[in-house]
Amino acid sequence: MTGYIDPERAQFDAFKALNRDQPIQMLNLVAFNDRAAYPSDHALADTGLTGAQAYANYGAETAPILARVGGSIVWRARFETTLIGPTDEVWDAMFIARYPTAHAFLAMVSDPAYQKAVVHRQAAVRTSRLIRSEGLTPWKALHERADRTAGPDGPAQCRS
């Protein structure tokens, strides 16, 4: 599994180019290092923390920032198996964070306290996926999908 820990500049620019004034959900899929990989000059560098412990430090330090910008964790789950997709992608943490707007997410990652805490995430993570999504209700998403896949006789019928 290739290590994706921080966004590439082009990915971050694409994120910022999207609508910033609507609620967003960020799907987080995270695989931990066996041992946290802190920079050698960090106070926790030689403590032998696991990736899971370093990620817990990240969560503890960033939770108040998430709350301050109006965000919350709306879903959390334990990975079991992949039915469709790469079998080598095994996730130690899976959750969805909801933000009132993309501005709120950007405010969080720009916050000086977040900037200081992100070292724990960087030390903890072997690879990750961070996927932005527009927050649609299931009913609205179902109807929009039906409209996009309409045949020559018009949209498919949605049933409740």
Side-chain angles (χ1 to χ4, degrees):
M1 218 184 313
T2 302
Y4 295 97
I5 300 169
D6 294 312
E8 301 283 329
R9 172 53 50 194
Q11 291 171 309
F12 197 61
D13 289 345
F15 176 94
K16 293 188 300 184
L18 294 172
N19 185 344
R20 295 186 191 188
D21 296 319
Q22 66 186 24
I24 61 168
Q25 282 80 45
M26 300 294 286
L27 171 62
N28 290 256
L29 304 174
V30 185
F32 300 141
N33 288 317
D34 291 334
R35 290 277 161 222
Y38 284 98
S40 60
D41 62 342
H42 192 276
L44 297 175
D46 296 321
T47 60
L49 290 180
T50 65
Q53 291 169 318
Y55 203 80
N57 289 343
Y58 168 72
E61 291 185 23
T62 60
I65 305 162
L66 175 67
R68 187 168 56 247
V69 301
S72 62
I73 304 299
V74 296
W75 175 84
R76 207 182 298 267
R78 183 178 11 261
F79 177 85
E80 290 185 335
T81 192
T82 298
L83 185 58
I84 298 174
T87 58
D88 65 332
E89 291 188 345
V90 176
W91 307 109
D92 297 306
M94 300 172 26
F95 61 95
I96 296 174
R98 183 187 184 284
Y99 298 87
T101 64
H103 290 293
F105 175 84
L106 293 169
M108 181 187 76
V109 300
S110 300
D111 186 288
Y114 181 91
Q115 293 289 317
K116 183 178 177 197
V118 79
V119 69
H120 299 298
R121 184 184 190 286
Q122 292 164 335
V125 174
R126 179 171 41 89
T127 194
S128 64
R129 306 293 182 269
L130 183 56
I131 301 166
R132 176 183 163 158
S133 64
E134 178 183 358
L136 300 176
T137 63
W139 184 252
K140 181 178 177 186
L142 177 65
H143 281 281
E144 287 184 359
R145 170 126 171 60
D147 290 344
R148 286 195 307 270
T149 59
D153 297 325
Q157 293 297 312
C158 295
R159 297 183 205 349
S160 56

